Amino acid sequence: MPILTLKFKDNVIKEYDLEKGKSLSIGRREENNIVIDNLAVSGHHAKIDSVGEGFLATDLQSKNGSFVNEQFISTHWLKHGDVITIGKHSIVFEYKDGETKPETANPQENMDQTMVMDTNSYKSMLAKSSPNAASPDISKEPVGVLSYVAGGQGEVEISKKLFKIGKASTNDIVVSGFLVGQVAATISKRPGGFFFTYSGGTSKPKVNGVSVTESVQLKDFDVIEIGSAKMHFFVK
Amino acid sequence: MVVIESKGISDVGKKRTGNEDAMFLDDSMNLYVVADGMGGHQAGEVASSIVVETIRDYMKQFKGKGVTEELEDTDESISRGANRLVSSIHLANNGVYGLSQKNESYEGMGSTVSAVLFTDESLIAVNVGDSPIYLIHKDEIELISVPHTVLAEQAAIDPDRAKNLAPRFAHMLTRAVGIGETIKPDVCETPYFKGDILVLSSDGLSDKVAPEEILKTVGKEQTNKACSALVDLANERGGDDNITVIVLKVKDKKNQKGWFAWLMSKIGKIV
C-alpha cells in the first residue's frame, strides 16, 4: 500500500501508511489522523479515502484550500509522486518500490459514466455519503388548489397536468359568462411551478386583476377571474 | 396545426469510441426523442436504440386516422396524447428489460428517455432519467423535464446537503428505462406558442453547457446552426461523453377553432 510523507519545507516530519478501506483525515485538530499544527490549516482540512483500488484526496471546503502539484483541487485521484500542499506543509503520495500501481490514476473513471442504482443501494450509499440525507419521497408532489370566492363553492384540486377552465362541458372547471372561451384558460403543472395560460374567448381571464393574454406563473393566493368565477390559487 | 422546424445531431464526442445515444425526429408526427443508453460492451447502444424505435413504432400507429387498440391503464390526470407517449415508454421498458433478462451480455443495461410530442392544444414532455428538456419562451429558459438523479432529488429536499454530496452522485440515476419491470415517467403538459423553442439533449451537452448558454445560442441561430454550435461547444470543453442535441422551433401554430368560437371572436371584435 502507498505511503504518505508529511514534510515541512524539505524536512520529513512523519510517514503514514495508507490502507485499503481506510480513510485518513488531515487537519489542525488533534482528532485528525494527520495533524498539522499550523494556523493556515483548517480544523478539518482534507481527507484521503480508499476507493476501489485507488485513493481519492478531497478538500473539506477548507479556508485556504488544498493543492495537488500546485493545482487547486476539490477532489483528486492520487497517483505516484503527487504532492499535496496544505498550508506550508506538503504531503507526498508514493507507492512503495515494486508495488503494483493502479493502471490509471482514476480507477473509477467509469464513475463519469451514467449509472443507475436500485432503491436499496441508493439509500445505503446516501447514508454513507451524508448520514442525514433523507430518501426522497416521490409520491409527495405539490398539489395546486383553486378555492372559489365567487361563482361556485368549495375547493377544486388541479388534478391534471393540463387543467382546463372554460365554457365547454369537457373542461375541468366549467364557468359561465358572456364571451368566455370554450376553453378559456389552462393551468399546467411544470417542474418549475403552476402556469396559467390564456387559451381562447374574447373575454380574457384575469390574474390579480390583470388580463392574461399569454402565460403567467401562479403564486400562492393569486386571484383568478374567469367569467362568473373568481378563485384563489394555492399550493397544498 | 403546428409547424415545427427541427434539427438533431448525435455526436460521439472526444473520449468515447461508441455512441450510446440515440435520437428520433419527425416533423410530421411532431415527435422528438433522445435516449442515452448505459451498460457495458454494446449494451448501452442496444438499450437506447430499442427505446427510440419502440416509441417511434408505437406512436406511428396514431399518425393516420385509423383507430388502433390502445394499452390499458390510462392515467386520467394526463391527456390522451400523453397517455400514448407514456404507454410507448412502458413498452420500451418491457423490451429493454426483457432482453436484459434473457441475454447475459445485456444484463443491467438501461437508457434514459426524453420525448416531446406536440398536439394541437399542448406540448407533452415525458422523461425518465437525466436527459434534459428545455423550453425557451420569450428569452427565458426553463427545464420542463425532471432529472432523476440522486443529486437532483437530494437538492429538491435540501440544497445545502446536496452540495456536500460526492460528485459521483451527479451521474447516478434513480430511474432509467429497462432496469426494472416497471417504470414511472414524469409528464409535463403545457400550452405552447409560436416562437417557442425546445431543446432536448443527453447529459453530454448539459454537463458542459449551461442553460443560459443554450438560451443564447438557440436564440440567435437557425436550428441547424444552433445544434452544431452546441455540439461544438461541448466538444471544445472536453467532449467527455456522447453529445446528442435536438433543437426545435415552433414556426406556426393555428388554433382549430369551431365555427361558433370563430363567430364569437368576430362578434367580440365588433362589440
Side-chain angles (χ1 to χ4, degrees):
Chain A
M1 283 291 111
I3 53 167
L4 293 172
T5 310
L6 175 64
K7 292 181 178 178
F8 183 71
K9 291 177 179 167
D10 284 334
N11 305 318
V12 173
I13 298 172
K14 202 173 172 185
E15 288 187 350
Y16 301 86
D17 286 313
L18 283 167
E19 273 178 63
K20 203 172 170 176
K22 278 200 174 172
S23 298
L24 279 183
S25 59
I26 306 164
R28 200 182 65 246
R29 297 221 190 131
E30 282 192 8
E31 61 261 32
N32 288 291
N33 301 104
I34 302 178
V35 181
I36 306 176
D37 188 13
N38 186 303
L39 284 177
V41 179
S42 298
H44 298 275
H45 197 105
K47 62 172 183 159
I48 293 173
D49 292 316
S50 148
V51 183
E53 294 301 308
F55 292 89
L56 184 67
T58 307
D59 181 74
L60 298 172
Q61 293 175 330
S62 64
K63 209 173 166 194
N64 294 316
S66 302
F67 299 82
V68 173
N69 305 333
E70 296 176 354
Q71 297 283 316
F72 177 79
I73 59 128
S74 53
T75 57
H76 175 82
W77 291 98
L78 291 166
K79 53 187 189 301
H80 183 73
D82 274 351
V83 180
I84 307 163
T85 308
I86 288 174
K88 288 183 175 168
H89 290 71
S90 57
I91 300 170
V92 184
F93 175 90
E94 282 170 319
Y95 287 91
K96 289 171 191 152
D97 286 342
E99 191 177 9
T100 51
K101 305 168 180 109
E103 286 203 350
T104 57
N106 175 1
Q108 301 284 312
E109 220 145 44
N110 292 342
M111 276 301 186
D112 214 27
Q113 219 162 330
T114 309
M115 56 183 283
V116 192
M117 55 194 332
D118 61 65
T119 321
N120 287 333
S121 50
Y122 177 12
K123 279 182 187 152
S124 74
M125 280 197 87
L126 269 181
K128 276 181 209 154
S129 171
S130 169
N132 300 318
S135 71
D137 183 359
I138 17 178
S139 60
K140 213 182 110 195
E141 278 189 57
V143 180
V145 178
L146 293 174
S147 173
Y148 276 103
V149 178
Q153 277 187 339
E155 292 180 351
V156 181
E157 281 194 3
I158 300 170
S159 54
K160 294 187 178 171
K161 294 281 180 180
L162 189 70
F163 189 84
K164 294 176 195 162
I165 306 168
K167 232 174 187 170
S169 61
T170 49
N171 287 295
D172 299 298
I173 289 183
V174 179
V175 294
S176 57
F178 186 55
L179 301 180
V180 170
Q182 294 299 306
V183 177
T186 61
I187 298 175
S188 56
K189 188 182 169 195
R190 310 214 288 244
F194 291 84
F195 290 78
F196 182 90
T197 307
Y198 163 70
S199 183
T202 307
S203 164
K204 300 268 192 316
K206 288 180 181 171
V207 172
N208 298 332
V210 181
S211 289
V212 176
T213 53
E214 209 185 41
S215 197
V216 288
Q217 182 165 6
L218 292 174
K219 304 177 301 296
D220 266 356
F221 307 113
D222 276 352
V223 178
I224 295 168
E225 290 169 82
I226 301 178
S228 57
K230 188 173 178 181
M231 294 166 278
H232 275 299
F233 167 84
F234 62 93
V235 177
K236 212 158 48 172
Chain B
M1 249 313 273
V2 53
V3 181
I4 291 176
E5 177 190 292
S6 66
K7 172 74 181 174
I9 296 178
S10 192
D11 189 274
V12 68
K14 296 278 185 207
K15 303 278 168 73
R16 302 281 169 89
T17 48
N19 191 349
E20 297 189 328
D21 289 354
M23 64 171 185
F24 173 72
L25 308 81
D26 190 325
D27 291 338
S28 65
M29 289 163 77
N30 296 322
L31 176 66
Y32 308 87
V33 187
V34 167
D36 178 354
M38 66 205 84
H41 306 289
Q42 258 83 59
E45 286 171 57
V46 173
S48 62
S49 56
I50 292 176
V51 168
V52 163
E53 285 162 22
T54 309
I55 295 172
R56 177 196 67 198
D57 294 342
Y58 183 76
M59 296 305 287
K60 228 177 218 168
Q61 60 176 319
F62 306 114
K63 199 176 160 187
K65 41 190 180 268
V67 181
T68 39
E69 59 181 277
E70 302 207 23
L71 296 181
E72 287 173 14
D73 294 320
T74 47
D75 181 346
E76 285 186 3
S77 73
I78 55 177
S79 67
R80 168 168 283 185
N83 266 304
R84 288 171 175 171
L85 199 51
V86 167
S87 295
S88 76
I89 291 173
H90 284 299
L91 268 186
N93 186 65
N94 292 347
V96 177
Y97 184 67
L99 192 62
S100 76
Q101 296 300 102
K102 264 182 256 157
N103 191 327
E104 224 173 75
S105 59
Y106 292 150
E107 209 182 311
M109 73 173 170
S111 176
T112 71
V113 66
S114 285
V116 169
L117 175 71
F118 288 85
T119 65
D120 286 340
E121 66 180 12
S122 65
L123 76 84
I124 301 159
V126 182
N127 85 290
V128 178
D130 65 347
S131 303
I133 305 172
Y134 297 104
L135 169 64
I136 295 162
H137 175 70
K138 285 196 170 168
D139 271 342
E140 277 185 47
I141 185 162
E142 182 188 342
L143 184 68
I144 57 167
S145 58
V146 178
H148 300 132
T149 64
V150 173
L151 194 69
E153 290 184 359
Q154 288 301 308
I157 301 167
D158 183 346
D160 288 336
R161 193 184 290 145
K163 277 183 209 150
N164 295 327
L165 282 175
R168 64 174 181 275
F169 287 111
H171 287 277
M172 205 161 279
L173 299 185
T174 54
R175 299 184 211 175
V177 179
I179 298 298
E181 276 178 50
T182 56
I183 186 76
K184 189 179 180 314
D186 259 296
V187 180
C188 174
E189 275 188 84
T190 193
Y192 60 93
F193 301 92
K194 185 179 169 181
D196 282 356
I197 303 171
L198 274 102
V199 178
L200 290 79
S201 84
S202 59
D203 62 352
L205 178 79
S206 51
D207 280 353
K208 300 284 181 196
V209 183
E212 294 70 32
E213 295 175 297
I214 295 175
L215 174 64
K216 261 189 218 162
T217 312
V218 298
K220 62 176 186 213
E221 302 281 8
Q222 297 286 324
T223 44
N224 52 352
K225 271 194 185 166
C227 231
S228 45
L230 289 171
V231 171
D232 290 349
L233 195 54
N235 271 326
E236 276 164 28
R237 294 177 180 174
D240 294 320
D241 201 349
N242 306 140
I243 308 150
T244 299
V245 186
I246 295 177
V247 177
L248 45 99
K249 285 190 186 181
V250 180
K251 301 301 271 187
D252 202 5
K253 187 195 177 216
K254 291 188 188 81
N255 285 328
Q256 286 177 320
K257 281 184 189 167
W259 64 270
F260 182 74
W262 177 82
L263 187 68
M264 289 312 275
S265 72
K266 290 291 165 198
I267 293 170
K269 270 173 198 153
I270 297 160
V271 172

